[in-house]
Amino acid sequence: MKQLIIYKYIVGFGLMVSLFSSCKKYSDFQTNPNQPSSSAPGLLLTGICYSIFYYDNTSAAFASRHLTYYERGNSNLDYSWREGSFDNYNVLRQVMAMDSLAVQTGQQQYLGLTKFFRALLFSQLTEMFGDIPYSKAMQGTYGNFKPEYDDQESVYKGILQELEDANNLLDNSKGEIKGDIIYGGVASQWKKLVNAFKLRLLIHLSKKESDANLDIKTQFQNIINDPVKYPLLSSNDDNAQLIFNTTAQDNYYPDFGYLSLATAVSMEKGFVTILKNRNDPRLFALAEPISGLTAGDFNNYEGVDAGLTLADQQTASSNASRIKSRYHDDKINEPWILLGYAEQEFLIAEAISRNWITGAGTAQVHYENGITASMKFYGINDADIATYIAAPNVAFNAGTALDQIAIQKYIAMFMNSGWEPFIEQRRTGIPTFDVGPGTYNNMMVPKRWLYPQSEYDYNPKNLSNALQKQYGGNDDVNSVMWLVQ
């Protein structure tokens, strides 16, 4: 009898539970208690960093005449390229998603990174094409799928302000930045990068130094005047770079195992000549001697003229240097630098040489700092660095300072900094790139990329207006954008 009473009690209780459960809202069952209902911004940051810092240095090296490739046609080598990519907008969508999560979760330390990444990604886009969607971009959630284009001056004004905002927002006191594979979560390190990157963009605008709307000289001077508010990189330890290792299966140097780099790529003649003319020991760190000859002797290194036809390049390659084997044989090799201390020092040296700024010391000191940082990156000893800096065609000369700075920056960016050496050559004309029958494009170095086909398909009216305002309606790789006019 007792068992029967207990059984009836259990059944009755079960029915009561079932009854009350049936009154719960349907939405209550949509939440999985074992799975978080919202994400953290740090989970997106890792992928964003990888997308931005894992940059294609090798293709840029062909266009920048550090290397030449003759296995088959290559648009970056022969300048027959056509349309560029709007892929940065895909990364920007992730950046803005990270920003929304930061606001939702109260993690303000990510808001400064949003501003920096926007400035970086939009600057790359405008430097590739000219005018781009900026102020009305990223508004698809509001129904704007056909954004208007902003002129290049307005884009630069906007992204320079975003970098100012980023500097003001980044602060160690706001907490660790989780998901950070570049600086280990330290906001003050990102702050240094933000300000160094702003110096880069201000130098990119050198042809617009009289533009009162941008006032680039004042903006540069403001950073120099207040190192507490605007900290900068202080050594190679602060380099913004992606470091490779073997802890993960695919986390190795991108060109590891790249067969064509080992067999169908040579150092470019113009670049090798620049190094040989200066007895630059970096040549030995970047290139192999001609096959069968001894390493460490400048006479045993040569490049291939990228202006030759592919057949002639292949013939010449038998007596030319290939890239140092570590670039395709070493899983770790060296980091990929987005922006480093060496570049920053060359930027400051140029600003001083242009009489933009005061109070930063001498252009010579910053010029020599840049050379030293680049050589230290390759493990060159102090004695060899001192000898190199004192050499007649390397020693700082105020009368030729801008040319010297441009050349040294070009050398320092070998297999680093993405398309920056190409963009800088477009601005300065230094060095002169080899062209010829093998480069096509009427033996001209292109000035920009064509807009992607997707814009012709989905945003034709705004694209047409932008082309008319900039290039007389023609989408031409040889057209000169406002930035370098």
Side-chain angles (χ1 to χ4, degrees), residues 209-256:
E209 65 175 57
S210 61
D211 188 327
N213 194 36
L214 294 172
D215 200 10
I216 60 177
K217 290 185 283 188
T218 298
Q219 292 197 58
F220 207 114
Q221 183 71 69
N222 288 342
I223 293 174
I224 297 301
N225 282 348
D226 196 343
V228 174
K229 181 178 180 181
Y230 301 105
L232 289 167
L233 311 178
S234 58
S235 71
N236 281 343
D237 291 339
D238 291 334
N239 287 353
Q241 60 190 14
L242 187 62
I243 298 174
F244 304 100
N245 56 54
T246 56
T247 57
Q249 183 177 356
D250 296 325
N251 191 29
Y252 48 74
Y253 190 77
D255 287 332
F256 172 72

Side-chain angles (χ1 to χ4, degrees), residues 79-144:
Y79 295 144
S80 64
W81 64 49
R82 302 290 294 169
E83 66 182 56
S85 171
F86 266 18
D87 282 351
N88 274 19
Y89 286 105
N90 295 327
V91 184
L92 280 162
R93 278 188 278 274
Q94 293 298 305
V95 171
M96 299 315 298
M98 181 186 74
D99 186 74
S100 296
L101 290 172
V103 172
Q104 292 171 20
T105 58
Q107 299 184 63
Q108 296 184 20
Q109 63 269 45
Y110 293 90
L111 303 183
L113 291 182
T114 295
K115 294 290 188 178
F116 169 65
F117 290 144
R118 280 176 53 89
L120 171 65
L121 292 164
F122 278 120
S123 70
Q124 290 174 347
L125 286 164
T126 193
E127 287 161 2
M128 182 175 287
F129 301 103
D131 295 359
I132 57 167
Y134 171 63
S135 61
K136 300 296 177 62
M138 317 305 295
Q139 294 183 355
T141 55
Y142 304 106
N144 183 8

Side-chain angles (χ1 to χ4, degrees), residues 59-90:
S59 292
F62 297 141
S64 300
R65 293 299 184 257
H66 284 136
L67 301 174
T68 186
Y69 173 77
Y70 38 79
E71 184 176 52
R72 57 184 179 274
N74 179 290
S75 63
N76 292 315
L77 169 66
D78 61 30
Y79 295 144
S80 64
W81 64 49
R82 302 290 294 169
E83 66 182 56
S85 171
F86 266 18
D87 282 351
N88 274 19
Y89 286 105
N90 295 327

